[in-house]
Amino acid sequence: MDVLALLNHAANFAAPAFWLALLLPWLDRFLTGKRASAFSRPAQFGLIFLAGLVVLAIGLLLLGQDGKMLTYLALVATAASGQWLIRKG
């Protein structure tokens, strides 16, 4: 595998966590209309993205394959729980 293929695989592996982390703080602000968060949006993005990457890596290690629905379910549950905790419950 050459470097470009490796980068393509890494980007596609991280894409669900990236988009979820990017959209979740924005949707939270849009749906609730409140700004009572303890962290700024870039900090929220970073925390949720990092947690999402950890969940995706654990899913890959445990299930042996990327893209399993159980991993995506855990990703969404982790991101939503993280956003909830960031918003002070």
Side-chain angles (χ1 to χ4, degrees):
M1 180 181 308
D2 62 342
V3 175
L4 288 178
L6 181 64
L7 288 175
N8 185 29
H9 282 285
N12 287 322
F13 176 75
F18 175 82
W19 288 109
L20 192 60
L22 186 67
L23 294 175
L24 197 59
W26 181 78
L27 284 173
D28 180 43
R29 170 82 190 263
F30 178 73
L31 293 175
T32 62
K34 300 176 185 174
R35 192 180 168 100
S37 178
F39 298 99
S40 65
R41 279 193 192 158
Q44 289 179 24
F45 169 78
L47 290 171
I48 294 171
F49 182 59
L50 183 63
L53 285 179
V54 169
V55 167
L56 289 174
I58 290 172
L60 178 62
L61 290 174
L62 291 178
L63 300 174
Q65 182 179 346
D66 180 31
K68 294 280 191 172
M69 291 307 291
L70 184 62
T71 305
Y72 291 141
L73 176 66
L75 171 65
V76 170
T78 301
S81 298
Q83 185 66 31
W84 179 72
L85 287 172
I86 287 171
R87 296 277 302 172
K88 301 178 186 175

